[in-house]
Amino acid sequence: MIEQARTDLSLAPVVRVLRLCLHLMVAGLLALAAVRALADGAPAAPGVLATAVVLLALYVLGPALLRARSSAAAVLWLATVVAVWLVLLALTPDGVWLAFPLFFVELHLLPPRWALPVVAASTAAAIAGFAWHTHTLSVGTVIGPVLGAAVAVAVVFGYQALYRESEQRRRLIEELTAARSELAAAERAAGVLAERERLAREIHDTLAQGLSSIQLLLRAAERAVPGRPETALGHIRQARTAAVDNLAEARRFVRALSPPDLEADSLPAALERLCAATARTSGLAVHCQVSGAPTPLPTPHEVALLRIAQSALANTVQHAAADRVELTLSYMDTEVALDVVDDGSGFVPAEVPPPGSAAAGGSGFGLAAMRARARALHGTLAVESAPGEGTALAVTLPCPDPSAVPETAQGAAP
């Protein structure tokens, strides 16, 4: 408590000024008592002067003892000061005035359970000493020291209450600042993760699939070079076109723009071109159909459906060994659905290894990316497959209120 009180006092500039005023008050009152005793020629004048000098010296040594941060030393110093003050009070009635600054010292250095009794005892000593010198006990003699003690108690306890409230506010501000910093860091991390996932999905659904298609075309051209140069040249031209398209895709997804197919036309038209391009490069029979009346969709919905279709067709070409693929886009009252069904070799969905794992051989991102796209738009993605029975992929997205769809998205619909 003593160390806390000293620390509290040392923190506030206003308190330091008040403490300086308190020191000056002690010195002034001691000088006043000594001067009046000498001026009156009282027999106790030498004793008053000596006691005042001793009390002033003890008071001056107080800060040095308090800096030692020893509770026992502080209590011993305070007891010595009070004892010398009592001697001064016994020698001269002017010693009563020193009770007021002593109240502050006692309240600052002692815990409340000790400070209040000590202040009360000092008040009683001041009243008794003054009454003994004047041989009277009037209302003024009692009210003066009591009022001074009450003022000291109110000031010290009021300051301590304000200081505690200030400390609570300071700690609260520090906690809020720390929480805000943590929240900002979490938001930055979430933003980085979201952007990383976006780039991973875009790379998988565009560049990776495009490079795979280019590889297949160049391999076919390599096989056709010896005897069928015209066929090889056609494959090379298709590979070149695929490279140009993928370069445009790369530039757009870096800028977070819509795919070129959606910028030029509607989602059904983009899906039809995708199916035609897949059939042309892979040799599969790829059919596209639209069910229901096309309705305007927000750009994120159209982008997600197109990317999922690209990824599903690429998986079919690379892994399914299929002969036929059916792609159906269905517009319903509250939902839009995309189904991709092939007659390939099929697989066991539960046995698909996690993306990026050793078992996946560095692949396996297709299904995870498609699920992430559907989940981001509050949709669902289901995969049904079994060995030798082909694969059916269905993604369903909720249709927003048409009135909430931007005009740019409405214009994209035929």
Side-chain angles (χ1 to χ4, degrees):
M1 177 65 184
I2 293 174
E3 288 80 359
Q4 182 65 38
R6 289 195 300 269
T7 302
D8 294 351
L9 287 175
S10 65
L11 293 178
V14 175
V15 175
R16 287 199 295 269
V17 173
L18 293 177
R19 187 167 58 180
L20 177 60
C21 294
L22 185 66
H23 297 336
L24 295 176
M25 182 186 297
V26 171
L29 292 174
L30 287 173
L32 177 63
V35 170
R36 287 191 60 176
L38 293 175
D40 293 342
V48 172
L49 179 59
T51 305
V53 171
V54 172
L55 185 56
L56 181 60
L58 285 173
Y59 193 85
V60 171
L61 291 176
L65 294 175
L66 296 181
R67 280 195 294 269
R69 296 187 179 275
S70 172
S71 300
V75 171
L76 180 60
W77 172 81
L78 179 61
T80 305
V81 169
V82 172
V84 176
W85 168 69
L86 292 175
V87 173
L88 181 64
L89 182 62
L91 294 174
T92 175
D94 293 330
V96 71
W97 306 113
L98 286 165
F100 186 69
L102 285 179
F103 292 154
F104 285 96
V105 177
E106 292 165 351
L107 290 168
H108 284 309
L109 293 182
L110 298 176
R113 67 178 182 273
W114 294 107
L116 293 178
V118 170
V119 169
S122 300
T123 304
I127 295 172
F130 191 77
W132 181 71
H133 283 288
T134 60
H135 304 289
T136 58
L137 184 63
S138 62
V139 176
T141 303
V142 176
I143 290 180
V146 171
L147 186 59
V151 170
V153 170
V155 169
V156 172
F157 283 6
Y159 164 74
Q160 292 177 353
L162 290 175
Y163 179 80
R164 285 193 297 270
E165 183 179 354
S166 176
E167 283 295 293
Q168 291 176 356
R169 290 183 179 180
R170 181 184 62 80
R171 286 193 294 269
L172 179 60
I173 292 173
E174 290 178 353
E175 292 174 359
L176 291 176
T177 303
R180 184 173 61 183
S181 300
E182 292 176 359
L183 180 60
E187 290 178 349
R188 286 195 297 270
V192 170
L193 181 60
E195 182 65 10
R196 185 179 300 169
E197 291 179 352
R198 182 188 76 84
L199 291 176
R201 289 195 301 265
E202 296 293 343
I203 290 173
H204 178 273
D205 295 341
T206 56
L207 297 184
Q209 307 299 349
L211 292 174
S212 177
S213 177
I214 293 171
Q215 181 186 18
L216 293 176
L217 290 170
L218 292 179
R219 187 177 298 170
E222 184 180 12
R223 288 195 299 267
V225 164
R228 293 175 295 164
E230 291 298 328
T231 302
L233 182 60
H235 289 319
I236 293 173
R237 287 172 178 169
Q238 291 179 3
R240 179 181 173 185
T241 301
V244 172
D245 293 341
N246 277 269
L247 180 60
E249 290 280 7
R251 288 171 177 169
R252 279 171 168 78
F253 79 66
V254 166
R255 301 189 188 100
L257 299 177
S258 300
D261 291 337
L262 292 179
E263 287 185 347
D265 215 331
S266 64
L267 175 62
L271 291 176
E272 289 178 0
R273 284 196 299 271
L274 173 64
C275 291
T278 302
R280 185 171 59 253
T281 57
S282 65
L284 296 178
V286 184
H287 298 279
C288 177
Q289 59 182 345
V290 177
S291 173
T295 57
L297 294 175
T299 300
H301 285 60
E302 294 188 342
V303 172
L305 292 172
L306 178 60
R307 294 304 191 204
I308 290 174
Q310 289 175 328
S311 183
L313 291 178
N315 285 344
T316 300
V317 172
Q318 295 178 29
H319 308 297
D323 296 322
R324 182 182 181 85
V325 183
E326 294 287 342
L327 186 148
T328 304
L329 178 64
S330 303
Y331 289 93
M332 295 171 280
D333 292 338
T334 59
E335 295 177 331
V336 59
L338 176 69
D339 299 282
V340 182
V341 182
D342 66 59
D343 60 355
S345 58
F347 64 99
V348 179
E351 297 179 357
V352 176
S357 63
S363 61
F365 288 97
L367 286 176
M370 287 187 278
R371 286 195 178 92
R373 287 186 185 276
R375 187 168 53 249
L377 297 174
H378 308 288
T380 60
L381 184 140
V383 179
E384 296 181 0
S385 183
E389 299 183 6
T391 301
L393 181 146
V395 58
T396 304
L397 301 179
C399 287
D401 184 357
S403 62
V405 178
E407 294 184 359
T408 54
Q410 294 178 3

